[in-house]
Amino acid sequence: MTSTMPARLAVLLPGTGSDETFVRSVFAGPLRALGVEVLTPPPPPSETLTSGYLARLDADADAAGSPILVGGISLGAHLATEWALRNPARCAGVLAAMPAWNGLPADAPARQAALVSAEQVDRDGLEATLTRSAATMPTWLAGELHRAWRRYGDGLVPGLRAAAAHPAPELAEVRALEVPVGIATCTDDPVHPARVAGEWAAALPRAAVCETTLDALGRDRESLGRATVLAWLRAR
C-alpha cells in the first residue's frame, strides 16, 4: 500500500563525505516553493553512518505522523530508496539526486573514490589529502570537501569505508517501489554516471529523470534540487 497524501515534510541525506549543509543548500529552496518543510540530519558517527541515517528516517517518519518525502544525493539517494522500499505506506516519494550504483559493483567510480580517499587520509593525513584533492577538482567542490571532511574528524575514514561497503538497492528490488521517484543526474559527472540514473528510471514503475550539470551546480546549488524536484513532480 502506498500513500497518495501530499507530503509536508522531506528528510534529505547527503552523499559520502558530504554533510547536511550541502544537501540543505541543494533542496531547501526548491521544496520550500512547494510548501514542504526540509530536515537535513547531520552525519551519524563513523561506522554507524548508514544504519544511523536509516534509523533517523524511521524516527522522522514516526514523528511526522503522515507520509514523508525522502531523498538525498548519491549515498543519500541510495539510503532513501532503501528506506522507501521497506516503508511504502510512510513514504510520499523519493528525491534521488545523482545515484551512483545499484547493488554493490566493485568498479563503481563513486565507491572506488570513497575507498581511495579513505586510504589516502589514513596514510597521509587529512590536510595533505585535502590539499592534493583541491588541485584536481573545481574550487567550489574543494571548498565543500574542506568544510565537510574536517567536521567528520576521526570518523571520516570509517564513514567513507562504511559508505563504500553499503549496497544500493538492486534494480530487481526497485521494481516493487510504487511511490513516485524523481531522479536527477549531472551529465558531465563521471563519478555518478548518467547511465546509472537511466537504469534506475527504467526499473522503477513511477520515475522520471531530469538532467543538469556539475558546472551548473557549482554556480547554483539549487540547480540540482530543482532538477530532482521537477523529476518527482513529473513522476507523480
Side-chain angles (χ1 to χ4, degrees):
M1 177 181 178
T2 58
S3 171
T4 58
M5 294 177 62
R8 298 177 181 175
L9 175 69
V11 184
L12 286 309
L13 310 177
T16 303
S18 186
D19 63 7
E20 75 278 14
T21 301
F22 181 67
V23 74
R24 174 168 285 275
S25 72
V26 168
F27 282 107
L31 286 170
R32 190 184 304 117
L34 299 180
V36 178
E37 178 188 358
V38 171
L39 291 182
T40 54
S46 299
E47 294 89 347
T48 65
L49 184 76
T50 56
S51 62
Y53 275 137
L54 292 169
R56 177 61 188 262
L57 291 174
D58 280 332
D60 287 338
D62 288 343
S66 61
I68 63 173
L69 269 173
V70 295
I73 302 169
S74 190
L75 173 70
H78 300 178
L79 294 173
T81 305
E82 178 181 336
W83 184 87
L85 282 163
R86 298 176 187 173
N87 299 274
R90 297 200 288 169
C91 183
V94 179
L95 301 170
M98 301 164 63
W101 63 74
N102 54 76
L104 191 59
D107 59 349
R111 183 170 182 263
Q112 289 300 315
L115 292 173
V116 169
S117 295
E119 179 182 351
Q120 290 177 345
V121 173
D122 232 2
R123 184 188 65 226
D124 303 328
L126 176 61
E127 295 304 322
T129 303
L130 284 171
T131 298
R132 182 168 55 245
S133 298
T136 62
M137 64 180 58
T139 301
W140 71 268
L141 182 54
E144 293 291 343
L145 288 187
H146 274 68
R147 183 198 66 252
W149 282 19
R150 289 191 176 107
R151 289 186 58 200
Y152 276 85
D154 292 341
L156 176 62
V157 169
L160 291 171
R161 288 177 173 150
H166 194 85
E170 296 279 2
L171 294 179
E173 292 180 275
V174 301
R175 292 190 176 96
L177 185 59
E178 296 181 0
V179 300
V181 181
I183 304 170
T185 185
C186 292
T187 57
D188 56 350
D189 182 5
V191 179
H192 304 86
R195 169 187 55 79
V196 174
E199 290 171 349
W200 276 46
L204 286 156
R206 298 175 63 192
V209 180
C210 285
E211 296 180 344
T212 183
T213 64
L214 287 179
D215 186 57
L217 180 58
R219 297 191 306 270
D220 174 12
R221 302 294 186 269
E222 291 185 357
S223 62
L224 180 62
R226 289 193 298 271
T228 315
V229 171
L230 177 59
W232 175 68
L233 291 173
R234 290 176 176 173
R236 294 178 68 192

